[in-house]
Amino acid sequence: LIRCKIFKGREVRILIYFILAYAVGMIWDYIATTRGHWVFSKEALLGIYIGIIPLEDIILLGGLVLVSVAVVAESKSKRN
């Protein structure tokens, strides 16, 4: 993980939060895509897919989850 004082001593817990949030996001993405709630334009993407989810979406979701977990960790560290 990124070495930062907000993660100090909580690396395992933060990693678990990240994995759980990422898994929920990927399941949500998969369900919404298979049901047709949203689609991905083939012209605007690299064309690399993992299942039916494009690589760009997988990377974006990982970044969003990482930032969200970091914000929550920072807010909890300021309370203590």
Side-chain angles (χ1 to χ4, degrees):
L1 280 174
I2 300 168
R3 291 288 172 207
C4 193
K5 73 177 183 178
I6 61 171
F7 296 136
K8 192 169 187 164
R10 297 190 237 167
E11 289 88 359
V12 174
R13 189 177 344 166
I14 289 173
L15 183 62
I16 290 169
Y17 290 156
F18 177 82
I19 291 169
L20 288 174
Y22 192 78
V24 168
M26 288 305 298
I27 291 167
W28 174 30
D29 223 12
Y30 178 80
I31 290 170
T33 304
T34 56
R35 289 185 177 184
H37 295 300
W38 63 71
V39 294
F40 300 103
S41 170
K42 293 187 188 281
E43 298 86 33
L45 299 172
L46 293 173
I48 302 169
Y49 290 83
I50 298 176
I52 62 171
I53 308 296
L55 180 64
E56 292 93 330
D57 195 51
I58 293 168
I59 293 170
L60 175 67
L61 181 60
L64 291 172
V65 170
L66 181 63
V67 169
S68 300
V69 168
V71 167
V72 169
E74 175 68 14
S75 68
K76 285 185 177 186
S77 71
K78 290 203 181 231
R79 275 191 253 152
N80 294 335

